[in-house]
Amino acid sequence: MRVPAESLVYESGFLGVVPKKLAGESHNHNHNHKGINYLNEILLSKVYDVAVETPLEYASKLSEKLDVHIWLKREDLQPVFSFKLRGAYNMMAKLSREQLRKGVICCSAGNHAQGVALSAQKLGVDAVVAMPTTTPEIKLKTVERLGATVVLVGESYAEAQEYAKHRAKEEGRTFVPGFDHPDIIAGQGTVGMEIVRQLRAPLYAIFVPVGGGGLIAGIAAYVKAVCPEVKIIGVEPYDANSMALSLYHGQRIVLDKMGNFAEGVAIEEVGEETFRLCRELIDGVVLVSHDAICASIKDMFDEKRSILEPAGALAIGGAKAYCKYYGLQGENVVAVTSGANMNFNKLRLVSKLADVSRQHEPEAVFSTIVPQKREKLEQFSGLVWQQKKQVKSCSTFSLLVAHLICCVKFHTVSELRQMLYTSNSKNLKTKINLTKNDLVKNDLHFLACDQSSIENEILCRFVIPDKPGVLMKLLNAFNGRWTMNLFHYQGQGESGGNVLMGLQVVSSEMDEFKALADTLGCDYAFETSNKALQLQLH
């Protein structure tokens, strides 16, 4: 069953899709039978031949802000900067001599590939890694440095996987899956074993990032067997929620499209065995936004001076949202920081989005009508800068015709409300709160100011993959057919980029425009009615 990610949306922090067998039940041992068979395999795992026991570190700043004891399980400190090494080595170390002689193969665009490559190096095994052609060069080179042979094939993970499985049969190689194998799951389960051993205090919950489900299935199998009262909570992005949707529908689904911002968990279909375990053992899934993920990356930098990849910070975002939503106080919670293989050119976008989501230091973007008189502009400026006890910083202050677009950070939400009230009382009408408007965050400062809209102009946003030639293909597809007034591209690292286009398309040609847009294979949405744009054009 193919399902769109947006078909399941609930408030960030809410514990959704609680498996039916757990709904209304008190914690007991009745639902442990599905994972109990993994307990011995986890205890006897061979992961420590190559992996390390990562520390469980206290996050003092986050704990103080949330009034909860937040602990970070630092899987980003593994030799390949990701937990994936555990499962890959545990499976490969169990192969027979004959299987090792024939070699292994896997498909991956990131952390699993590095785990397989290092494991093969340790075991003296020939390894082939199939990667999509869109794989960033930095990850490709890293895998090659570890001694594996990289083969670029196809434009998607599915195509690379098909190639890897076909070659495995042809050459007799062992295919090493990313998550859906008992030995992979058992290897990842050692993370849960370490958490239980390291935290000498009552534990309320463990928050785990979810992609294919190998990590959370392994952790749940161990923890629910020895500490069934501890909650195991999955965390997924809103636009890559294959586990949440599978639990919701009671069967594995396939995402018809998904976001790649947190590419480490962007999996269109969870594993068969991982789904079976999660359906029985986990306590639900929390969903978070890109903004929340970026804020968590910044939290980690503030806390430990470490930079996580988006998937690696996912659990922190889920833990924060859950604690706030349920008003949790004084409890011990663990967030697994699963990886630190950050693509450097994505940092600019992360930095831009990080502050918008930090609710303990609220940042607002709003539009105020300012009569074109010097004293009125000075009056509004005074509201922003002279109230030093309220305003923490002002990062953007732009006058667009008679509208002032202002980005201001406050210490508390109530202080922000007070300033807006004062503004309106002085006949400086703040009409629209633009804080959650993506156009403002990504593109508004690039748009030219004009008092009158261009006749028949539409504004359309495209999401394109990070692949050579795609940007020019998009540009050329429309440029010869309609007049183009705007073309703004903003890269988002290995997850691709956003293109904002302004074209003059009459209503009778809209069907033709949509048909052409559909053939490009990119997700797109119209922004013509966006409130921020209307403020600027009128």
Side-chain angles (χ1 to χ4, degrees), residues 144-420:
E144 289 182 333
R145 280 196 295 270
L146 290 170
T149 300
V150 175
V151 178
L152 295 177
V153 56
E155 297 183 4
S156 66
Y157 176 85
E159 291 176 288
Q161 180 175 258
E162 183 180 357
Y163 169 86
K165 289 185 174 181
H166 179 72
R167 183 166 173 178
K169 290 181 180 180
E170 277 191 338
E171 301 180 2
R173 293 178 180 269
T174 298
F175 178 74
V176 184
F179 45 84
D180 199 18
H181 189 283
D183 291 334
I184 299 288
I185 295 169
Q188 320 301 30
T190 57
V191 175
M193 178 181 68
E194 291 175 11
I195 291 172
V196 172
R197 184 169 62 238
Q198 290 169 328
L199 187 60
R200 300 291 184 178
L203 177 57
Y204 177 84
I206 301 173
F207 291 85
V208 187
V210 180
L215 179 60
I216 193 170
I219 290 175
Y222 183 88
V223 175
K224 287 296 186 181
V226 299
C227 304
E229 73 282 359
V230 176
K231 295 182 184 295
I232 306 297
I233 299 173
V235 187
E236 291 185 303
Y238 277 107
D239 58 358
N241 54 351
S242 52
M243 181 62 79
L245 276 164
S246 296
L247 293 172
Y248 178 78
H249 288 285
Q251 66 182 70
R252 290 192 302 151
I253 60 87
V254 179
L255 288 177
D256 65 352
K257 60 180 179 180
M258 63 184 173
N260 287 315
F261 180 76
E263 72 283 346
V265 293
I267 303 295
E268 64 179 7
E269 182 181 16
V270 300
E272 183 177 354
E273 176 67 359
T274 60
F275 176 66
R276 183 182 74 86
L277 289 168
C278 288
R279 195 176 183 184
E280 293 290 334
L281 299 176
I282 76 170
D283 293 84
V285 178
V286 170
L287 301 178
V288 297
S289 66
H290 292 180
D291 291 354
I293 294 171
C294 293
S296 298
I297 293 173
K298 189 173 188 296
D299 286 326
M300 184 65 171
F301 181 79
D302 292 343
E303 197 79 51
K304 304 294 180 182
R305 291 299 183 266
S306 296
I307 298 177
L308 298 174
E309 62 185 276
L314 195 57
I316 297 177
K320 288 169 55 184
Y322 178 94
C323 292
K324 291 175 183 178
Y325 185 89
Y326 290 100
L328 206 64
Q329 291 186 326
E331 301 283 2
N332 288 295
V333 299
V334 171
V336 180
T337 58
S338 59
N341 288 301
M342 168 65 89
N343 192 330
F344 189 77
N345 63 8
K346 186 179 280 189
L347 286 176
R348 181 175 62 177
L349 177 65
V350 169
S351 178
K352 179 187 293 187
L353 297 180
D355 283 334
V356 179
S357 180
R358 291 166 70 95
Q359 296 302 310
H360 54 274
E361 295 175 359
E363 181 173 74
V365 183
F366 50 85
S367 170
T368 298
I369 297 177
V370 181
Q372 292 180 306
K373 297 178 181 179
R374 177 179 175 181
E375 63 271 17
K376 287 296 183 182
L377 180 58
E378 291 177 348
Q379 191 175 28
F380 185 84
S381 303
L383 289 176
V384 175
W385 276 286
Q386 291 173 14
Q387 300 181 39
K388 295 188 181 299
K389 292 182 179 180
Q390 295 177 345
V391 177
K392 185 170 182 179
S393 67
C394 178
S395 59
T396 303
F397 192 79
S398 304
L399 184 65
L400 307 175
V401 192
H403 295 272
L404 190 144
I405 306 295
C406 192
C407 181
V408 183
K409 185 182 289 185
F410 288 77
H411 292 283
T412 67
V413 174
S414 61
E415 290 167 352
L416 168 60
R417 292 184 185 136
Q418 178 60 41
M419 183 191 147
L420 297 182

Side-chain angles (χ1 to χ4, degrees), residues 11 19 34 93 133 204 384 497 509:
E11 189 172 349
K34 294 293 184 182
T133 57
Y204 177 84
V384 175
E509 297 172 343

Side-chain angles (χ1 to χ4, degrees), residues 407-450:
C407 181
V408 183
K409 185 182 289 185
F410 288 77
H411 292 283
T412 67
V413 174
S414 61
E415 290 167 352
L416 168 60
R417 292 184 185 136
Q418 178 60 41
M419 183 191 147
L420 297 182
Y421 173 80
T422 304
S423 169
N424 287 319
S425 68
K426 294 181 178 296
N427 200 30
L428 297 167
K429 297 180 181 179
T430 299
K431 299 185 64 175
I432 302 176
N433 190 329
L434 303 172
T435 306
K436 296 183 178 181
N437 192 304
D438 287 336
L439 186 69
V440 169
K441 289 185 286 185
N442 293 321
D443 302 284
L444 190 62
H445 58 295
F446 288 96
L447 301 181
C449 179
D450 190 350

